[in-house]
Amino acid sequence: MKQITFQLPEIDRSATKKRVEAALEKYRFYLLSVPEERLPKVTATYSLVPPTHTNAFYSSTETVVVDKVDFERERDKYMEWIRRGVNRLNQKERELIIKRYLNHEDMYDYELYNEMGVSERKFYRLKARAFYKLAFILRIEVYKEEAPV
């Protein structure tokens, strides 16, 4: 009898790490306040060009408000997605990710491994494991392309 073999695709470690770091950086970005360009204009503007009357449904202020609400909805959904993923990690991995990437304050790796009471080597192994687990939980892992046979 022939045995059936099953090969799992190989993970591209550096691309996966970059993707997880980008997701965590986007989370940190969303912690910031709404950008100024999304705020509605409240001052009058004057122009030599006559106004055009279109069948536009919203005024510029309404459009800004709708865009702001859409942005906030997307932000909240994204932040909840990241939170749920991080909460599925074990306690040490969760502590590392939250303190290093999800807080407002920047913290360096050496500060964190000293605070956690682990060696530098163990810290980086823990960090790598947390990144790969998080990549699989969030389904953002990157696979290497197989060469055509």
Side-chain angles (χ1 to χ4, degrees):
M1 286 185 114
K2 276 192 163 184
Q3 183 175 350
I4 298 175
T5 60
F6 178 72
Q7 289 186 331
L8 291 172
E10 191 175 348
I11 299 288
D12 186 341
R13 291 185 171 276
S14 64
T16 298
K17 181 181 177 196
K18 286 179 186 174
R19 194 174 277 183
V20 171
E21 285 177 335
L24 295 174
E25 187 63 32
K26 186 175 179 180
Y27 179 94
R28 184 176 266 175
F29 166 76
Y30 279 153
L31 286 177
L32 302 175
S33 63
V34 176
E36 187 177 336
E37 65 268 6
R38 291 199 177 271
L39 298 175
K41 289 190 243 176
V42 289
T43 58
T45 57
Y46 301 99
S47 173
L48 296 175
V49 179
T52 59
H53 299 287
T54 64
N55 290 331
F57 185 69
Y58 298 113
S59 69
S60 65
T61 303
E62 289 171 324
T63 303
V64 169
V65 170
V66 167
D67 288 346
K68 184 176 184 232
V69 168
D70 288 345
F71 172 78
E72 288 177 355
R73 187 176 294 132
E74 175 197 341
R75 181 193 65 204
D76 293 344
K77 183 179 175 184
Y78 185 86
M79 291 177 78
E80 182 62 24
W81 177 61
I82 295 292
R83 267 190 234 111
R84 285 182 179 203
V86 170
N87 283 335
R88 291 183 60 193
L89 299 173
N90 70 37
Q91 190 267 330
K92 283 281 193 190
E93 294 164 344
R94 189 171 45 244
E95 177 184 5
L96 186 152
I97 295 294
I98 290 171
K99 287 183 176 179
R100 176 68 173 90
Y101 295 99
L102 304 183
N103 282 339
H104 287 287
E105 296 178 18
D106 285 337
M107 188 174 233
Y108 295 105
D109 285 348
Y110 71 88
E111 295 173 317
L112 188 53
Y113 65 71
N114 285 329
E115 183 180 309
M116 292 176 69
V118 296
S119 69
E120 181 179 2
R121 184 175 179 174
K122 182 171 180 159
F123 174 81
Y124 285 112
R125 277 190 266 141
L126 183 65
K127 183 177 174 181
R129 191 173 65 232
F131 268 40
Y132 295 117
K133 279 184 174 180
L134 196 54
F136 281 106
I137 290 168
L138 300 175
R139 295 187 178 140
I140 57 174
E141 71 274 11
V142 179
Y143 295 100
K144 288 185 179 179
E145 297 291 325
E146 287 190 22
V149 180

